[in-house]
Amino acid sequence: MLRRFLMAAIIAAGFGVYWWLTAPPMMSAIAEPAYAPNLANGQTTFNAGGCSSCHAVPAQPDRLKLGGGLALPSPFGTFYVPNISPDPADGIGRWTEAEFVNAVTRGISPAGFHYFPAFPYTSYQHAKVDDVRDLFAYLKTLEPVPGKVRDHDVPFPFNIRRNLGIWKLMFKDGTRFAPDAARSAQWNRGAYLVNSLGHCAECHSPRNLLGGIIAAQRFAGGPNPEGEGWVPNITQKGLEEWSAKDIEYFLETGLLPDGDSAGGAMARVIKNTSQLSAEDRVAMAEYLKSLPPVEGPPRPKKAKKDDDKS
């Protein structure tokens, strides 16, 4: 009898610890004072964050129709990008600013559940709160797009959102971007854009079996998260022969130094970076050229050269 009681107590205690570790944190009020949103900065944040690359309705030309629906295949299932237009029923039209900031920087929905990290909040967590607030104000100026996006196709056990609480403890540090006082303002701007809003590491880094970025190989390329092809190394191991001007021009036009052009998901990214100011593209190029060379994971022999453009 005592043995059974102890076993039951251990199980109950273990479940209690699990429930505590995986609970979405309570949403806290934004500590920033009220201010008038900067819509121009919101548009810059929108483009730097690549929002239209995923959230624009597929197979139509208007990148500002943010009705979602894009399928994102992954080793854990297929995710379908949600509607973030101001539609009050199917989009974020009824969200508060605090709910939006909480979703973008903490990966918590207004209903209080964890978002899957297909939404790159592990990078967005480093963004400035005012940038995210301006983004929310800008999104509210766009056209509402009706239409509810289908549920994700994620099999058990990956579909248990509660487990993401532990995943976040392992791979989300909750820090804001901190400028490097030893570097120039331009370099710091580039570092901010690349590491937070631009979320470049989310695709350009290999991941472990749990789907977390392998920190030692950050930016070193790896298998395409969407399942086909290979994402290139953007440290100096991969971009050694590129000049900062080459990178800047690529972010504006999608043209590689050899005259070829970006394809696949990167072509969608260029549609966003091309909308940034020349100064921001220069800053991103300066930062990327400063990344030390890092050897990426071994690339399969069957991978084709064209995969580098995806």
Side-chain angles (χ1 to χ4, degrees):
M1 178 66 73
L2 179 60
R3 181 177 296 178
R4 290 181 180 178
F5 174 79
L6 289 175
M7 183 62 68
I10 291 172
I11 292 174
F15 183 77
V17 171
Y18 164 82
W19 200 252
W20 174 68
L21 288 175
T22 59
M26 296 294 291
M27 184 178 71
S28 58
I30 298 174
E32 302 294 324
Y35 81 122
N38 183 333
L39 292 180
N41 184 55
Q43 185 177 27
T44 295
T45 302
F46 174 82
N47 290 320
C51 303
S52 69
S53 291
C54 288
H55 292 279
V57 177
Q60 56 84 36
D62 190 346
R63 62 190 293 270
L64 300 183
K65 288 189 175 181
L66 305 179
L70 179 70
L72 296 177
S74 82
F76 304 97
T78 300
F79 301 94
Y80 293 88
V81 182
N83 185 331
I84 61 166
S85 79
D87 186 85
D90 302 318
I92 62 172
R94 294 179 181 171
W95 287 29
T96 66
E97 182 186 77
E99 287 171 339
F100 183 78
V101 172
N102 204 47
V104 171
T105 63
R106 302 173 77 188
I108 304 295
S109 80
F113 58 78
H114 295 294
Y115 282 124
F116 290 107
F119 178 27
Y121 49 77
T122 46
S123 289
Y124 292 158
Q125 66 176 330
H126 305 306
K128 300 173 185 176
V129 171
D130 282 356
D131 283 347
V132 181
R133 297 174 79 184
D134 288 342
L135 172 61
F136 182 62
Y138 174 73
L139 291 175
K140 289 169 66 176
T141 70
L142 302 181
E143 176 186 349
V145 180
K148 187 172 179 61
V149 175
R150 58 166 295 173
D151 291 336
H152 303 306
D153 285 334
V154 180
F156 180 85
F158 307 120
N159 62 339
I160 301 177
R161 289 179 184 265
R162 192 92 188 184
N163 291 336
L164 291 169
I166 295 176
W167 190 94
K168 287 179 177 180
L169 289 174
M170 298 172 66
F171 303 114
K172 182 179 179 296
D173 59 25
T175 61
R176 302 287 184 206
F177 173 77
D180 184 343
R183 298 280 191 166
S184 68
Q186 180 171 275
W187 184 94
N188 276 295
R189 175 63 175 172
Y192 173 69
L193 291 173
V194 168
N195 287 293
S196 62
L197 300 175
H199 61 280
C200 303
E202 301 291 338
C203 285
H204 286 278
S205 305
R207 294 179 179 268
N208 58 31
L209 292 177
L210 295 178
I213 287 175
I214 299 174
Q217 293 181 306
R218 187 174 175 87
F219 298 119
N224 186 340
E226 297 184 6
E228 295 184 1
W230 196 264
V231 179
N233 188 324
I234 57 172
T235 72
Q236 283 306 285
K237 181 68 177 182
L239 297 182
E240 182 181 7
E241 297 182 1
W242 290 48
S243 67
K245 285 287 187 182
D246 289 334
I247 298 173
E248 175 192 345
Y249 190 65
F250 175 72
L251 293 174
E252 179 183 9
T253 66
L255 293 177
L256 283 73
D258 63 5
D260 208 343
S261 60
M266 194 64 206
R268 298 199 303 268
V269 172
I270 296 299
K271 289 182 179 179
N272 300 305
T273 57
S274 65
Q275 301 297 313
L276 295 175
S277 68
E279 292 77 12
D280 277 346
R281 289 192 295 271
V282 168
M284 293 174 71
E286 178 177 336
Y287 173 73
L288 289 171
K289 279 299 293 181
S290 76
L291 293 175
V294 176
E295 189 72 50
R299 181 169 175 167
K301 293 182 180 180
K302 65 179 181 180
K304 298 179 179 179
K305 181 180 178 180
D306 288 345
D307 292 338
D308 280 337
K309 297 178 288 181
S310 62

